[in-house]
Amino acid sequence: MVFDEKLLDCISQARHVVVFTGAGVSAESGIPTFRDAQTGLWTEYDAATLASPEGFRADPALVWGWYEWRRMKVLQAKPNPAHLTIAELAEKVPRLTLVTQNVDDLHERAGSDNPIHLHGCLHRPRCFACAKPFDYPPGIPEEPEGGRRLEPPRCVHCGGYIRPGVVWFGESLPEEAWNAAQQAAQHCDLLFSIGTSSLVWPAAQLPETAARNGAAIVQINPEPTALDRTARFNLRGKAGDILPALLEAL
Ligand code: OAD
């Protein structure tokens, strides 16, 4: 794979790199994305039913079962070369902030320290009523088939239903995570946008903010996206192919 010398210079000279990832970075680990034709979760399942507080109120068992099915898929998955290269890149640049929209823990398992999870985490459920965190009981978890109902556990503090620890449509992003991500986007000199359709706001605002503040935007995605016009470098292909080759070329 041959890369533009200007891109390689840009990366070598960067003092603060932001890596902003979406579902595409975990696709090669076997975790389905949301909007890819045929394979995307939102082509098969209804986002309003499964990803909103109203949906959970209407049918907690349907929603909890679906997220537990996804959590099991993540527990069975392994980080892929894209996750591993991002962790390695952090050792090679003066400063790297990893911001992810993903609710899996594959960045952490690849060795990235404290990624900023803008959309929460599948492994950190909490009470729908009092928001206290929930600890999964020890042992092998139940494994519902895709879409199979599963009654949510009850909160030990208030008896409320436990809900998935992810951000749903209509909810605000976790404040601390969002502030930290915005700060990083404002002050970085290079931002990689990897495996995201750049359609979900406010997260999709981060590369635009970085570009407005003078950062170079590098996008890695097999498909065109809403960010193509803003990105200085559009690298078309799979993150698991491009990232290791890019690191080697540096
Ligand atoms: P999408 O499903 O919208 O987009 C996934 C992107 O990954 C697409 O642009 C694909 O072309 C690209 N892609 C697929 N395979 C790839 C690969 N191997 N390497 C690189 N790119 C690849 O997922 P997101 O942009 O992450 O929100 O979606 C944003 C948010 O919408 C998610 O966080 C989720 C969803 O509703 C919440 O859960 C709150």
Side-chain angles (χ1 to χ4, degrees), residues 123-137:
H123 306 283
R124 283 186 231 131
R126 62 178 187 277
C127 177
F128 191 53
C130 74
K132 292 221 170 69
F134 171 74
D135 291 323
Y136 283 105

Side-chain angles (χ1 to χ4, degrees), residues 21-25 27-28 33-36 42 67 70 101-103 119 166-169 194-200 220-225 237-240:
T21 64
V25 89
E28 291 160 79
T33 63
F34 295 94
R35 293 174 187 80
D36 278 297
W42 295 154
Y67 282 92
R70 284 181 55 204
Q101 297 166 90
N102 296 346
V103 294
H119 291 164
V166 305
V167 176
W168 282 329
F169 291 108
I194 307 172
T196 173
S197 56
S198 300
L199 291 175
V200 174
I220 301 178
N221 199 309
E223 304 291 335
T225 77
K238 293 182 174 180

Side-chain angles (χ1 to χ4, degrees), residues 146-164:
R148 187 165 8 120
R149 306 165 62 80
L150 188 67
E151 189 70 11
R154 293 285 188 167
C155 174
V156 292
H157 305 282
C158 76
Y161 272 132
I162 298 301
R163 60 161 282 173

